[in-house]
Amino acid sequence: IFLSDYTDSVLTHLWFGMKQTLSPLHFDQYNNVFSQVVGSKYLIIVDPIYSPKLSDGKENSSNVDPRKLVQFLKENNISFTECILNPGDSIFIPSKWWHQIESLSFSVSVSFWF
């Protein structure tokens, strides 16, 4: 199956990061197939139904302290999923779903936005 079979254009991004590189909680306007190539990453994903608790609605970034995110989510009864992505793992992140990603080691990832 090729993503290009389902859409006219696919935006591809290659991400490099050292250990502890952090992409704070945010959402993207595109559907995303995120694939881990080298190293490992810790991912937290949150349903957009919780957007009013995560942002003022003006931007796609949250002002929640990224180092206290799990604590904040638990204290505010916000359901979330967390996982570790290792080389060869991929995850689908739907458009407008909140996510935070932290490199657990030097890592290389590829994302396919469509």
Side-chain angles (χ1 to χ4, degrees):
I1 296 177
F2 295 97
L3 290 176
S4 60
D5 292 343
Y6 299 95
T7 183
D8 292 333
S9 62
V10 176
L11 301 172
T12 305
H13 300 276
L14 186 60
W15 307 100
F16 293 88
M18 301 306 296
K19 183 177 182 176
Q20 298 180 326
T21 298
L22 180 69
S23 178
L25 191 65
H26 70 284
F27 67 83
D28 300 313
Q29 297 294 332
Y30 299 95
N31 290 313
N32 182 0
V33 174
F34 187 89
S35 300
Q36 192 62 28
V37 179
V38 174
S40 299
K41 287 190 172 175
Y42 170 63
L43 170 74
I44 296 172
I45 188 166
V46 181
D47 191 307
I49 63 170
Y50 299 106
S51 291
K53 294 183 177 183
L54 300 172
S55 172
D56 61 10
K58 296 178 184 173
E59 296 185 23
N60 71 330
S61 299
S62 176
N63 59 358
V64 177
D65 182 340
R67 299 293 174 193
K68 298 179 181 175
L69 178 60
V70 171
Q71 177 185 344
F72 174 87
L73 297 172
K74 289 179 179 178
E75 288 173 354
N76 288 277
N77 296 314
I78 297 173
S79 297
F80 64 98
T81 299
E82 56 189 335
C83 65
I84 294 176
L85 299 173
N86 293 305
D89 292 340
S90 294
I91 189 168
F92 175 68
I93 304 171
S95 171
K96 298 187 180 174
W97 278 62
W98 294 91
H99 52 285
Q100 177 169 296
I101 303 174
E102 181 176 3
S103 296
L104 300 176
S105 62
F106 170 78
S107 72
V108 178
S109 310
V110 180
S111 61
F112 303 93
W113 290 356
F114 59 100

